[in-house]
Amino acid sequence: MRASRLLSVLLLLQNRGRMTAEELAEELEVSVRTVYRDIESLSAAGVPVYAERGRAGGYRLLDGYRTRLTGLTGEEAQSLPLAGLPDAAAELGLGTVLTAAQLKLYAALPDELRGRAGKVAERFVLDVPGWFGGIESLPHLAEVAQTVWDSRRVSVRYRRWDNSETNRLLEPLGLILKAGNWYLAAHCDGATRTYRVSRILSLEPGAAFERPAGFDLAAYWREWSEQFERRMYPRVAVVRLSPLGRELVPFYLGAVGARALRECRAVPDEDGWLRVELPVEPGAPALGELLRFGPELQVLEPADLRDRVAAAVGRMGAFYG
């Protein structure tokens, strides 16, 4: 552990130049006193690290010194696919491992490429969760991830959508991060199913199992997502949208509505209104979704949905009449 930390100190100084003891301590999640001891150990081992005093001081390596001790460990190699998702890596228990892997990769790059990679990190941030979505409680995510890495069965107590609880024996196949929510693809009772990790109430790892040959997690998730969309939006509402209404579609109806708008082949009329077929949820949710548009949307079909919208608007008018 200490040897790994010493290498991290060395790579941080190599990649970033001058750093204070406080900055190193924060980066490595250790005390400043530990940083002092690590610097002394590096110096004793012949690494040309020295301190610069003053307000702009700190530790740095002798100009021109570079280490080639940049080999990745197995855990660090596993963490690389999450290089653009530091929060996700942290939730999986791989935050410090990913940081170490990135340091080693930066150190192995030529100066010019390392500078360009640094500019990307300075200018672009990927923030996956949507606005106002809240943060899920994920006390078992790291344990679930470990069963995925190890291909071990896991017995879980799971809370279903109706708040009832059930026990399941799962063969975990992969984890998916969708819009800030974690999902587990797992084999159960002869079929591959999807489980929301935040609904796992308890778990107990079991024996190893043989992962199905050729299982493609990305392909499975694509197919499952399409089926889920069809279940969530079984009806189509034919509507007219004003120019402002079309701008509101991505905000009110999300990706499903935005795609319907992109795929629409109709052209706006002389007043700018456009006839569009929008997927909608069944029952009351569809009514609420469409009423959000106010006077910027007119429902044409189906007749029962149009009548329900008209009745709701009539009741609202009576409130304010």
Side-chain angles (χ1 to χ4, degrees):
M1 179 68 180
R2 185 161 185 259
S4 175
R5 191 178 67 245
L6 289 174
L7 178 58
S8 294
V9 172
L10 178 54
L11 293 175
L12 279 167
L13 294 176
Q14 179 173 304
N15 290 328
R16 301 186 187 179
R18 183 188 300 109
M19 293 185 71
T20 66
E22 289 76 12
E23 289 171 339
L24 287 166
E26 182 178 357
E27 189 74 33
L28 299 171
E29 298 180 358
V30 297
S31 68
V32 173
R33 185 180 297 273
T34 298
V35 171
Y36 291 151
R37 289 198 299 265
D38 288 346
I39 294 293
E40 290 178 3
S41 297
L42 288 173
S43 296
V47 176
V49 56
Y50 64 95
E52 293 182 339
R53 301 187 182 280
R55 180 174 297 179
Y59 293 106
R60 62 177 302 160
L61 296 171
L62 187 68
D63 290 344
Y65 177 84
R66 291 181 61 82
T67 179
R68 295 298 178 186
L69 298 175
T70 54
L72 296 178
T73 67
E75 281 190 326
E76 290 164 355
Q78 284 180 338
S79 73
L80 288 179
L82 296 168
L85 301 167
D87 292 340
E91 288 176 343
L92 290 171
L94 293 172
T96 56
V97 174
L98 176 60
T99 299
Q102 289 175 321
L103 281 172
K104 291 180 180 181
L105 287 177
Y106 275 120
L109 290 173
D111 290 340
E112 179 186 354
L113 294 181
R114 188 163 64 251
R116 291 170 63 183
K119 285 184 178 179
V120 172
E122 291 171 357
R123 289 161 171 78
F124 297 95
V125 170
L126 178 61
D127 187 8
V128 174
W131 291 107
F132 316 119
I135 300 175
E136 289 191 314
S137 175
L138 297 164
H140 303 297
L141 178 59
E143 295 173 273
V144 172
Q146 194 60 53
T147 65
V148 174
W149 305 135
D150 298 340
S151 293
R152 301 186 74 84
R153 293 184 179 90
V154 58
S155 298
V156 303
R157 185 163 57 90
Y158 188 76
R159 178 171 49 83
R160 292 183 287 206
W161 64 272
D162 61 357
N163 281 329
S164 64
E165 296 181 10
T166 184
N167 296 311
R168 291 284 185 267
L169 178 62
L170 308 179
E171 294 181 348
L173 300 175
L175 282 163
I176 303 102
L177 178 61
K178 170 71 171 179
N181 301 314
W182 284 97
Y183 298 89
L184 173 67
H187 202 68
C188 180
D189 297 332
T192 303
R193 296 186 169 92
T194 301
Y195 300 87
R196 191 155 174 166
V197 175
S198 62
R199 293 181 180 169
I200 294 177
L201 305 176
S202 64
L203 60 85
E204 184 67 36
F209 69 95
E210 186 173 348
R211 185 180 175 86
F215 176 75
D216 186 329
L217 180 62
Y220 165 78
W221 181 251
R222 253 189 328 268
E223 181 180 351
W224 187 89
S225 299
E226 291 171 359
Q227 293 175 355
F228 178 74
E229 262 187 24
R230 287 194 291 270
R231 292 194 301 270
M232 284 291 294
Y233 301 96
R235 303 187 75 187
V236 172
V238 181
V239 304
R240 291 177 70 239
L241 285 165
S242 71
L244 175 57
R246 296 200 296 277
E247 293 180 11
L248 294 174
V249 165
F251 300 99
Y252 290 169
L253 300 180
V256 173
R259 184 169 62 247
L261 204 56
R262 287 196 307 271
E263 294 174 352
C264 177
R265 296 293 177 261
V267 296
D269 61 22
E270 58 184 12
D271 297 320
W273 286 68
L274 180 69
R275 182 185 175 103
V276 184
E277 294 184 357
L278 292 177
V280 293
E281 296 184 59
L287 178 63
E289 287 176 348
L290 298 177
L291 285 174
R292 296 175 73 183
F293 286 86
E296 310 304 325
L297 179 147
Q298 178 188 11
V299 179
L300 303 178
E301 300 176 17
D304 66 309
L305 182 58
R306 177 183 171 88
D307 291 344
R308 292 175 61 202
V309 170
V313 171
R315 291 196 301 273
M316 291 172 64
F319 293 151
Y320 297 102

PDB file of all heavy atoms in Angstrom, residues 153-167:
ATOM      1  N   ARG A 153     -22.642 -16.068  -7.790  1.00  0.00           N
ATOM      2  CA  ARG A 153     -24.071 -15.933  -7.532  1.00  0.00           C
ATOM      3  C   ARG A 153     -24.284 -15.087  -6.280  1.00  0.00           C
ATOM      4  O   ARG A 153     -23.424 -15.011  -5.398  1.00  0.00           O
ATOM      5  CB  ARG A 153     -24.715 -17.301  -7.353  1.00  0.00           C
ATOM      6  CG  ARG A 153     -24.727 -18.157  -8.615  1.00  0.00           C
ATOM      7  CD  ARG A 153     -25.472 -19.458  -8.381  1.00  0.00           C
ATOM      8  NE  ARG A 153     -25.506 -20.260  -9.602  1.00  0.00           N
ATOM      9  CZ  ARG A 153     -24.577 -21.156  -9.916  1.00  0.00           C
ATOM     10  NH1 ARG A 153     -23.555 -21.368  -9.090  1.00  0.00           N
ATOM     11  NH2 ARG A 153     -24.664 -21.833 -11.045  1.00  0.00           N
ATOM     12  N   VAL A 154     -25.459 -14.465  -6.201  1.00  0.00           N
ATOM     13  CA  VAL A 154     -25.752 -13.645  -5.039  1.00  0.00           C
ATOM     14  C   VAL A 154     -27.237 -13.780  -4.698  1.00  0.00           C
ATOM     15  O   VAL A 154     -28.104 -13.714  -5.572  1.00  0.00           O
ATOM     16  CB  VAL A 154     -25.376 -12.164  -5.299  1.00  0.00           C
ATOM     17  CG1 VAL A 154     -26.120 -11.602  -6.500  1.00  0.00           C
ATOM     18  CG2 VAL A 154     -25.620 -11.315  -4.075  1.00  0.00           C
ATOM     19  N   SER A 155     -27.512 -14.015  -3.421  1.00  0.00           N
ATOM     20  CA  SER A 155     -28.891 -14.055  -2.933  1.00  0.00           C
ATOM     21  C   SER A 155     -29.253 -12.654  -2.463  1.00  0.00           C
ATOM     22  O   SER A 155     -28.531 -12.069  -1.639  1.00  0.00           O
ATOM     23  CB  SER A 155     -29.021 -15.046  -1.774  1.00  0.00           C
ATOM     24  OG  SER A 155     -28.709 -16.357  -2.200  1.00  0.00           O
ATOM     25  N   VAL A 156     -30.344 -12.105  -2.983  1.00  0.00           N
ATOM     26  CA  VAL A 156     -30.717 -10.741  -2.629  1.00  0.00           C
ATOM     27  C   VAL A 156     -32.147 -10.699  -2.103  1.00  0.00           C
ATOM     28  O   VAL A 156     -32.992 -11.522  -2.472  1.00  0.00           O
ATOM     29  CB  VAL A 156     -30.596  -9.785  -3.840  1.00  0.00           C
ATOM     30  CG1 VAL A 156     -29.185  -9.811  -4.406  1.00  0.00           C
ATOM     31  CG2 VAL A 156     -31.609 -10.120  -4.920  1.00  0.00           C
ATOM     32  N   ARG A 157     -32.378  -9.749  -1.211  1.00  0.00           N
ATOM     33  CA  ARG A 157     -33.743  -9.378  -0.829  1.00  0.00           C
ATOM     34  C   ARG A 157     -34.033  -8.095  -1.578  1.00  0.00           C
ATOM     35  O   ARG A 157     -33.303  -7.106  -1.455  1.00  0.00           O
ATOM     36  CB  ARG A 157     -33.843  -9.181   0.684  1.00  0.00           C
ATOM     37  CG  ARG A 157     -35.260  -8.908   1.185  1.00  0.00           C
ATOM     38  CD  ARG A 157     -35.348  -9.150   2.695  1.00  0.00           C
ATOM     39  NE  ARG A 157     -34.390  -8.322   3.408  1.00  0.00           N
ATOM     40  CZ  ARG A 157     -34.639  -7.093   3.866  1.00  0.00           C
ATOM     41  NH1 ARG A 157     -35.840  -6.544   3.673  1.00  0.00           N
ATOM     42  NH2 ARG A 157     -33.723  -6.418   4.500  1.00  0.00           N
ATOM     43  N   TYR A 158     -35.108  -8.095  -2.380  1.00  0.00           N
ATOM     44  CA  TYR A 158     -35.333  -7.035  -3.360  1.00  0.00           C
ATOM     45  C   TYR A 158     -36.708  -6.407  -3.160  1.00  0.00           C
ATOM     46  O   TYR A 158     -37.704  -7.107  -2.924  1.00  0.00           O
ATOM     47  CB  TYR A 158     -35.233  -7.640  -4.766  1.00  0.00           C
ATOM     48  CG  TYR A 158     -35.254  -6.633  -5.892  1.00  0.00           C
ATOM     49  CD1 TYR A 158     -34.134  -5.865  -6.190  1.00  0.00           C
ATOM     50  CD2 TYR A 158     -36.395  -6.462  -6.679  1.00  0.00           C
ATOM     51  CE1 TYR A 158     -34.142  -4.952  -7.230  1.00  0.00           C
ATOM     52  CE2 TYR A 158     -36.418  -5.555  -7.719  1.00  0.00           C
ATOM     53  CZ  TYR A 158     -35.289  -4.801  -7.992  1.00  0.00           C
ATOM     54  OH  TYR A 158     -35.297  -3.888  -9.024  1.00  0.00           O
ATOM     55  N   ARG A 159     -36.749  -5.069  -3.237  1.00  0.00           N
ATOM     56  CA  ARG A 159     -38.016  -4.343  -3.139  1.00  0.00           C
ATOM     57  C   ARG A 159     -38.546  -4.064  -4.534  1.00  0.00           C
ATOM     58  O   ARG A 159     -37.915  -3.369  -5.313  1.00  0.00           O
ATOM     59  CB  ARG A 159     -37.829  -3.033  -2.366  1.00  0.00           C
ATOM     60  CG  ARG A 159     -39.097  -2.195  -2.266  1.00  0.00           C
ATOM     61  CD  ARG A 159     -38.914  -1.032  -1.309  1.00  0.00           C
ATOM     62  NE  ARG A 159     -37.701  -0.289  -1.569  1.00  0.00           N
ATOM     63  CZ  ARG A 159     -37.595   0.667  -2.492  1.00  0.00           C
ATOM     64  NH1 ARG A 159     -38.640   0.968  -3.257  1.00  0.00           N
ATOM     65  NH2 ARG A 159     -36.460   1.310  -2.667  1.00  0.00           N
ATOM     66  N   ARG A 160     -39.724  -4.621  -4.849  1.00  0.00           N
ATOM     67  CA  ARG A 160     -40.309  -4.447  -6.179  1.00  0.00           C
ATOM     68  C   ARG A 160     -40.986  -3.088  -6.297  1.00  0.00           C
ATOM     69  O   ARG A 160     -41.091  -2.333  -5.331  1.00  0.00           O
ATOM     70  CB  ARG A 160     -41.291  -5.585  -6.457  1.00  0.00           C
ATOM     71  CG  ARG A 160     -40.587  -6.927  -6.610  1.00  0.00           C
ATOM     72  CD  ARG A 160     -41.528  -8.049  -6.953  1.00  0.00           C
ATOM     73  NE  ARG A 160     -42.358  -8.449  -5.829  1.00  0.00           N
ATOM     74  CZ  ARG A 160     -42.889  -9.659  -5.682  1.00  0.00           C
ATOM     75  NH1 ARG A 160     -42.668 -10.597  -6.607  1.00  0.00           N
ATOM     76  NH2 ARG A 160     -43.631  -9.954  -4.641  1.00  0.00           N
ATOM     77  N   TRP A 161     -41.455  -2.784  -7.514  1.00  0.00           N
ATOM     78  CA  TRP A 161     -42.036  -1.469  -7.809  1.00  0.00           C
ATOM     79  C   TRP A 161     -43.245  -1.158  -6.939  1.00  0.00           C
ATOM     80  O   TRP A 161     -43.548   0.010  -6.657  1.00  0.00           O
ATOM     81  CB  TRP A 161     -42.428  -1.397  -9.282  1.00  0.00           C
ATOM     82  CG  TRP A 161     -43.511  -2.366  -9.670  1.00  0.00           C
ATOM     83  CD1 TRP A 161     -43.345  -3.653 -10.089  1.00  0.00           C
ATOM     84  CD2 TRP A 161     -44.920  -2.139  -9.649  1.00  0.00           C
ATOM     85  NE1 TRP A 161     -44.559  -4.253 -10.331  1.00  0.00           N
ATOM     86  CE2 TRP A 161     -45.551  -3.334 -10.077  1.00  0.00           C
ATOM     87  CE3 TRP A 161     -45.726  -1.043  -9.313  1.00  0.00           C
ATOM     88  CZ2 TRP A 161     -46.919  -3.475 -10.174  1.00  0.00           C
ATOM     89  CZ3 TRP A 161     -47.107  -1.176  -9.419  1.00  0.00           C
ATOM     90  CH2 TRP A 161     -47.683  -2.381  -9.845  1.00  0.00           C
ATOM     91  N   ASP A 162     -43.963  -2.201  -6.467  1.00  0.00           N
ATOM     92  CA  ASP A 162     -45.151  -1.986  -5.637  1.00  0.00           C
ATOM     93  C   ASP A 162     -44.829  -2.008  -4.144  1.00  0.00           C
ATOM     94  O   ASP A 162     -45.725  -2.103  -3.311  1.00  0.00           O
ATOM     95  CB  ASP A 162     -46.221  -3.026  -5.958  1.00  0.00           C
ATOM     96  CG  ASP A 162     -45.738  -4.454  -5.694  1.00  0.00           C
ATOM     97  OD1 ASP A 162     -44.547  -4.630  -5.310  1.00  0.00           O
ATOM     98  OD2 ASP A 162     -46.527  -5.394  -5.875  1.00  0.00           O
ATOM     99  N   ASN A 163     -43.519  -1.940  -3.821  1.00  0.00           N
ATOM    100  CA  ASN A 163     -43.019  -1.922  -2.442  1.00  0.00           C
ATOM    101  C   ASN A 163     -43.075  -3.272  -1.742  1.00  0.00           C
ATOM    102  O   ASN A 163     -42.702  -3.359  -0.559  1.00  0.00           O
ATOM    103  CB  ASN A 163     -43.734  -0.875  -1.576  1.00  0.00           C
ATOM    104  CG  ASN A 163     -43.202   0.526  -1.828  1.00  0.00           C
ATOM    105  OD1 ASN A 163     -42.040   0.702  -2.156  1.00  0.00           O
ATOM    106  ND2 ASN A 163     -44.066   1.520  -1.690  1.00  0.00           N
ATOM    107  N   SER A 164     -43.536  -4.320  -2.409  1.00  0.00           N
ATOM    108  CA  SER A 164     -43.461  -5.651  -1.823  1.00  0.00           C
ATOM    109  C   SER A 164     -42.017  -6.155  -1.925  1.00  0.00           C
ATOM    110  O   SER A 164     -41.234  -5.672  -2.740  1.00  0.00           O
ATOM    111  CB  SER A 164     -44.407  -6.618  -2.546  1.00  0.00           C
ATOM    112  OG  SER A 164     -44.009  -6.790  -3.905  1.00  0.00           O
ATOM    113  N   GLU A 165     -41.674  -7.114  -1.088  1.00  0.00           N
ATOM    114  CA  GLU A 165     -40.316  -7.640  -1.063  1.00  0.00           C
ATOM    115  C   GLU A 165     -40.291  -9.090  -1.541  1.00  0.00           C
ATOM    116  O   GLU A 165     -41.252  -9.830  -1.344  1.00  0.00           O
ATOM    117  CB  GLU A 165     -39.732  -7.544   0.348  1.00  0.00           C
ATOM    118  CG  GLU A 165     -39.577  -6.101   0.827  1.00  0.00           C
ATOM    119  CD  GLU A 165     -38.976  -6.019   2.218  1.00  0.00           C
ATOM    120  OE1 GLU A 165     -38.508  -7.079   2.729  1.00  0.00           O
ATOM    121  OE2 GLU A 165     -38.973  -4.929   2.803  1.00  0.00           O
ATOM    122  N   THR A 166     -39.186  -9.455  -2.168  1.00  0.00           N
ATOM    123  CA  THR A 166     -39.027 -10.816  -2.663  1.00  0.00           C
ATOM    124  C   THR A 166     -37.570 -11.226  -2.531  1.00  0.00           C
ATOM    125  O   THR A 166     -36.683 -10.368  -2.417  1.00  0.00           O
ATOM    126  CB  THR A 166     -39.468 -10.918  -4.139  1.00  0.00           C
ATOM    127  OG1 THR A 166     -39.396 -12.273  -4.566  1.00  0.00           O
ATOM    128  CG2 THR A 166     -38.572 -10.072  -5.045  1.00  0.00           C
ATOM    129  N   ASN A 167     -37.312 -12.520  -2.515  1.00  0.00           N
ATOM    130  CA  ASN A 167     -35.954 -13.054  -2.469  1.00  0.00           C
ATOM    131  C   ASN A 167     -35.606 -13.652  -3.824  1.00  0.00           C
ATOM    132  O   ASN A 167     -36.425 -14.339  -4.435  1.00  0.00           O
ATOM    133  CB  ASN A 167     -35.826 -14.115  -1.375  1.00  0.00           C
ATOM    134  CG  ASN A 167     -36.045 -13.546   0.008  1.00  0.00           C
ATOM    135  OD1 ASN A 167     -35.458 -12.531   0.356  1.00  0.00           O
ATOM    136  ND2 ASN A 167     -36.893 -14.185   0.803  1.00  0.00           N
TER     137      ASN A 167
END
